Coordinates of all heavy atoms in Angstrom, one line a residue:
M279 N 0.8 -1.2 0.0 CA 0.0 0.0 0.0 C 0.9 1.2 0.0 O 1.9 1.3 0.7 CB -0.9 0.0 1.2 CG -1.8 -1.2 1.3 SD -3.4 -0.8 2.1 CE -2.9 -0.8 3.8
T280 N 0.5 2.2 -0.8 CA 1.3 3.4 -0.8 C 0.5 4.6 -0.4 O -0.7 4.6 -0.4 CB 1.8 3.7 -2.3 OG1 0.7 3.7 -3.1 CG2 2.7 2.6 -2.7
G281 N 1.2 5.7 0.0 CA 0.5 6.9 0.3 C 0.0 6.9 1.8 O -0.5 7.9 2.2
L282 N 0.4 5.9 2.5 CA 0.0 5.9 3.9 C 1.1 6.4 4.8 O 2.3 6.0 4.6 CB -0.4 4.5 4.4 CG -1.8 4.0 3.8 CD1 -2.0 2.6 4.3 CD2 -2.9 5.0 4.1
A283 N 0.8 7.2 5.8 CA 1.8 7.7 6.7 C 2.2 6.5 7.6 O 1.4 5.7 7.9 CB 1.3 8.9 7.5
H284 N 3.4 6.5 8.0 CA 3.9 5.5 8.9 C 4.8 6.1 10.0 O 5.4 7.1 9.8 CB 4.5 4.3 8.2 CG 5.6 4.7 7.3 ND1 5.5 5.1 6.0 CD2 7.0 4.8 7.5 CE1 6.6 5.4 5.5 NE2 7.6 5.2 6.4
C285 N 4.9 5.4 11.1 CA 5.6 5.9 12.2 C 7.1 5.8 12.0 O 7.6 4.8 11.5 CB 5.2 5.1 13.5 SG 6.0 5.8 15.0
L286 N 7.8 6.8 12.4 CA 9.3 6.8 12.3 C 9.8 6.4 13.6 O 10.0 7.2 14.5 CB 9.8 8.2 11.9 CG 9.3 8.7 10.5 CD1 9.8 10.1 10.3 CD2 9.9 7.8 9.4
D287 N 10.0 5.1 13.7 CA 10.5 4.5 15.0 C 11.9 5.0 15.4 O 12.8 5.0 14.5 CB 10.4 3.0 14.9 CG 10.4 2.4 16.3 OD1 9.8 2.9 17.2 OD2 11.1 1.4 16.4
G288 N 12.1 5.4 16.6 CA 13.4 5.8 17.0 C 13.7 7.2 16.8 O 14.8 7.6 17.2
L289 N 12.8 8.0 16.2 CA 13.1 9.4 16.0 C 12.4 10.2 17.1 O 11.4 9.9 17.6 CB 12.7 9.8 14.6 CG 13.5 9.3 13.5 CD1 13.1 9.9 12.2 CD2 15.0 9.5 13.7
R290 N 13.0 11.4 17.3 CA 12.6 12.2 18.4 C 12.1 13.6 17.8 O 12.8 14.1 16.9 CB 13.7 12.5 19.4 CG 13.3 13.3 20.6 CD 14.5 13.6 21.4 NE 15.2 12.4 21.9 CZ 14.9 11.8 23.0 NH1 14.0 12.2 23.8 NH2 15.6 10.7 23.4
C291 N 11.0 14.1 18.2 CA 10.5 15.3 17.8 C 11.4 16.4 18.2 O 11.8 16.5 19.4 CB 9.1 15.6 18.3 SG 8.4 17.2 17.9
S292 N 11.8 17.3 17.3 CA 12.7 18.4 17.7 C 12.0 19.5 18.5 O 12.7 20.4 19.0 CB 13.4 18.9 16.4 OG 12.4 19.5 15.6
T293 N 10.7 19.5 18.5 CA 10.0 20.5 19.2 C 9.6 20.1 20.6 O 9.9 20.8 21.6 CB 8.7 20.9 18.4 OG1 9.1 21.3 17.1 CG2 7.9 22.0 19.1
C294 N 9.0 19.0 20.8 CA 8.5 18.5 22.1 C 9.4 17.4 22.7 O 9.2 17.0 23.8 CB 7.1 18.1 22.1 SG 6.8 16.6 21.1
L295 N 10.4 17.0 21.9 CA 11.4 16.0 22.3 C 10.8 14.7 22.8 O 11.4 14.0 23.6 CB 12.3 16.6 23.5 CG 13.0 18.0 23.2 CD1 13.8 18.4 24.3 CD2 13.9 17.8 21.9
T296 N 9.7 14.3 22.2 CA 9.1 13.1 22.5 C 9.5 12.0 21.5 O 9.6 12.3 20.3 CB 7.5 13.2 22.5 OG1 7.2 14.3 23.3 CG2 6.9 11.9 23.0
L297 N 9.8 10.8 22.0 CA 10.3 9.8 21.1 C 9.1 9.0 20.4 O 8.0 8.9 21.0 CB 11.1 8.8 21.9 CG 12.6 8.9 21.8 CD1 13.3 7.9 22.7 CD2 13.2 8.8 20.4
N298 N 9.3 8.6 19.2 CA 8.4 7.7 18.5 C 7.0 8.3 18.3 O 6.0 7.6 18.5 CB 8.2 6.4 19.2 CG 9.6 5.6 19.3 OD1 10.4 5.8 18.5 ND2 9.8 4.8 20.3
V299 N 6.9 9.6 18.1 CA 5.7 10.3 17.8 C 5.6 10.9 16.4 O 4.7 11.5 16.0 CB 5.3 11.3 18.9 CG1 5.1 10.7 20.2 CG2 6.4 12.3 19.0
L300 N 6.7 10.7 15.7 CA 6.8 11.3 14.4 C 6.3 10.4 13.3 O 6.6 9.2 13.3 CB 8.3 11.6 14.0 CG 8.9 12.7 14.9 CD1 10.3 12.9 14.5 CD2 8.1 14.0 14.9
W301 N 5.4 10.9 12.4 CA 4.9 10.1 11.3 C 5.3 10.7 10.0 O 5.2 11.9 9.8 CB 3.3 10.1 11.5 CG 2.9 9.3 12.6 CD1 2.9 9.6 13.9 CD2 2.3 8.0 12.4 NE1 2.4 8.5 14.6 CE2 2.0 7.5 13.7 CE3 2.0 7.1 11.3 CZ2 1.4 6.3 14.0 CZ3 1.4 5.9 11.6 CH2 1.2 5.5 12.9
L302 N 5.7 9.9 9.1 CA 6.1 10.3 7.8 C 4.9 10.2 6.9 O 4.3 9.2 6.7 CB 7.2 9.4 7.3 CG 7.7 9.6 5.8 CD1 8.2 11.0 5.6 CD2 8.6 8.6 5.4
D303 N 4.7 11.4 6.2 CA 3.7 11.4 5.2 C 4.4 11.5 3.8 O 4.9 12.5 3.4 CB 2.8 12.7 5.4 CG 1.6 12.7 4.4 OD1 1.7 12.0 3.4 OD2 0.6 13.3 4.8
P304 N 4.4 10.4 3.1 CA 5.2 10.3 1.9 C 4.5 11.1 0.8 O 5.2 11.5 -0.2 CB 5.2 8.8 1.5 CG 4.0 8.2 2.2 CD 3.8 9.1 3.5
V305 N 3.3 11.4 0.9 CA 2.6 12.1 -0.2 C 3.0 13.6 -0.1 O 3.3 14.2 -1.1 CB 1.1 12.0 0.0 CG1 0.3 12.8 -1.0 CG2 0.7 10.5 -0.2
R306 N 2.9 14.1 1.1 CA 3.3 15.6 1.2 C 4.7 15.8 1.5 O 5.2 16.9 1.7 CB 2.4 16.2 2.4 CG 0.9 16.2 2.0 CD 0.1 16.8 3.1 NE 0.1 16.0 4.3 CZ -0.4 16.4 5.5 NH1 -0.8 17.6 5.6 NH2 -0.4 15.5 6.5
A307 N 5.5 14.6 1.7 CA 6.9 14.7 2.0 C 7.2 15.5 3.2 O 8.0 16.4 3.2 CB 7.7 15.2 0.8
L308 N 6.5 15.2 4.3 CA 6.7 15.9 5.5 C 6.6 15.0 6.7 O 6.0 13.9 6.6 CB 5.8 17.1 5.7 CG 4.3 17.0 5.6 CD1 3.8 16.4 6.9 CD2 3.7 18.3 5.3
V309 N 7.1 15.4 7.8 CA 7.0 14.6 9.0 C 6.2 15.4 10.0 O 6.3 16.6 10.2 CB 8.4 14.4 9.6 CG1 8.3 13.7 11.0 CG2 9.3 13.6 8.7
E310 N 5.2 14.7 10.6 CA 4.4 15.4 11.6 C 4.4 14.7 12.9 O 4.4 13.5 13.0 CB 2.9 15.3 11.0 CG 2.0 16.1 11.9 CD 0.6 16.3 11.2 OE1 0.5 17.1 10.3 OE2 -0.3 15.5 11.6
C311 N 4.5 15.5 13.9 CA 4.5 15.0 15.3 C 3.1 14.8 15.8 O 2.3 15.8 15.8 CB 5.3 15.9 16.2 SG 5.2 15.5 17.9
T312 N 2.7 13.6 16.3 CA 1.4 13.4 16.8 C 1.2 14.0 18.2 O 0.1 14.0 18.7 CB 1.1 11.9 16.8 OG1 2.0 11.2 17.6 CG2 1.1 11.4 15.4
E313 N 2.3 14.3 18.8 CA 2.2 14.8 20.2 C 2.0 16.3 20.2 O 1.1 16.8 20.9 CB 3.6 14.5 20.9 CG 3.5 14.8 22.4 CD 2.7 13.8 23.1 OE1 2.4 12.7 22.6 OE2 2.2 14.1 24.3
C314 N 2.7 17.1 19.5 CA 2.6 18.5 19.6 C 2.0 19.1 18.2 O 1.7 20.3 18.2 CB 3.9 19.2 19.9 SG 5.2 19.0 18.6
G315 N 1.9 18.3 17.2 CA 1.4 18.7 16.0 C 2.4 19.4 15.1 O 2.0 19.9 14.0
Q316 N 3.6 19.5 15.5 CA 4.6 20.1 14.7 C 4.9 19.3 13.4 O 4.9 18.1 13.4 CB 5.9 20.2 15.5 CG 7.1 20.8 14.8 CD 6.9 22.2 14.4 OE1 6.3 23.0 15.2 NE2 7.4 22.7 13.3
S317 N 5.0 20.0 12.3 CA 5.3 19.3 11.1 C 6.5 20.0 10.4 O 6.8 21.2 10.6 CB 4.2 19.3 10.1 OG 3.8 20.6 9.8
A318 N 7.3 19.2 9.7 CA 8.4 19.8 9.0 C 8.7 19.0 7.7 O 8.4 17.9 7.6 CB 9.7 19.7 9.9
L319 N 9.2 19.8 6.8 CA 9.6 19.1 5.5 C 10.8 18.2 5.8 O 11.6 18.5 6.6 CB 10.0 20.2 4.5 CG 8.8 21.0 4.0 CD1 9.3 22.1 3.0 CD2 7.8 20.2 3.3
I320 N 10.9 17.2 5.0 CA 12.0 16.3 5.1 C 13.2 16.9 4.3 O 13.1 17.0 3.1 CB 11.7 14.9 4.5 CG1 10.5 14.3 5.3 CG2 12.9 14.0 4.6 CD1 10.0 13.1 4.6
I321 N 14.2 17.3 5.0 CA 15.4 17.9 4.4 C 16.6 17.2 4.8 O 16.9 17.0 6.0 CB 15.5 19.4 4.7 CG1 14.2 20.1 4.3 CG2 16.7 20.0 4.1 CD1 14.2 21.6 4.8
T322 N 17.3 16.6 3.9 CA 18.6 16.0 4.2 C 19.7 17.0 4.0 O 20.1 17.2 2.8 CB 18.8 14.7 3.4 OG1 18.7 15.0 2.0 CG2 17.8 13.6 3.7
D323 N 20.2 17.5 5.0 CA 21.3 18.5 5.0 C 22.5 18.0 5.7 O 22.5 17.8 6.9 CB 20.7 19.8 5.6 CG 21.7 20.9 5.4 OD1 22.9 20.7 5.0 OD2 21.4 22.1 5.7
P324 N 23.6 17.8 5.0 CA 24.8 17.2 5.6 C 25.4 18.2 6.7 O 26.1 17.8 7.6 CB 25.8 17.1 4.5 CG 25.3 17.9 3.4 CD 23.8 18.0 3.6
D325 N 25.0 19.5 6.6 CA 25.5 20.4 7.5 C 24.5 20.6 8.7 O 24.7 21.5 9.5 CB 25.7 21.8 6.8 CG 26.9 21.7 5.9 OD1 27.9 20.9 6.2 OD2 26.9 22.4 4.9
E326 N 23.5 19.8 8.7 CA 22.5 20.0 9.8 C 23.1 19.7 11.1 O 23.9 18.8 11.3 CB 21.3 19.1 9.5 CG 20.1 19.4 10.5 CD 18.9 18.6 10.1 OE1 18.8 18.3 8.9 OE2 18.2 18.2 11.0
G327 N 22.8 20.5 12.1 CA 23.4 20.3 13.4 C 24.4 21.4 13.7 O 24.7 21.7 14.8
R328 N 24.9 22.0 12.6 CA 25.8 23.1 12.8 C 25.0 24.4 13.2 O 24.0 24.7 12.7 CB 26.5 23.4 11.5 CG 28.0 23.1 11.6 CD 28.8 23.4 10.4 NE 28.1 24.2 9.3 CZ 28.6 24.4 8.2 NH1 29.8 24.1 7.9 NH2 28.0 25.1 7.2
T329 N 25.5 25.1 14.2 CA 24.9 26.3 14.5 C 25.4 27.5 13.7 O 26.6 27.6 13.5 CB 25.1 26.7 16.0 OG1 26.5 26.6 16.2 CG2 24.4 25.7 16.9
A330 N 24.5 28.2 13.1 CA 24.8 29.3 12.2 C 25.5 30.4 12.9 O 25.1 30.8 14.0 CB 23.6 29.8 11.5
Ligands
ZN420 ZN1 6.4 17.1 18.9

């Protein structure tokens, strides 16, 4: 089945810091937190984690 969101096991929400509450929506290409409702685009940035 395609187009269904699924849980991202082992990942932590960067907003509320809760584990295993992030769901990947492959259709909209975003991750949404079921705990705080925060959503973010999936961006793979090798420099992520660096403070500007
Ligand atoms: Zn959250």
Side-chain angles (χ1 to χ4, degrees):
M279 299 211 285
T280 57
L282 291 179
H284 54 274
C285 186
L286 296 174
D287 196 40
L289 289 186
R290 186 187 299 273
C291 175
S292 60
T293 301
C294 66
L295 303 181
T296 307
L297 265 177
N298 301 331
V299 292
L300 295 180
W301 286 76
L302 171 65
D303 187 335
V305 176
R306 291 180 294 170
L308 57 76
V309 174
E310 185 171 282
C311 174
T312 59
E313 189 71 20
C314 67
Q316 176 69 33
S317 63
L319 293 175
I320 301 171
I321 301 173
T322 53
D323 186 348
D325 289 329
E326 190 171 330
R328 247 182 10 183
T329 49

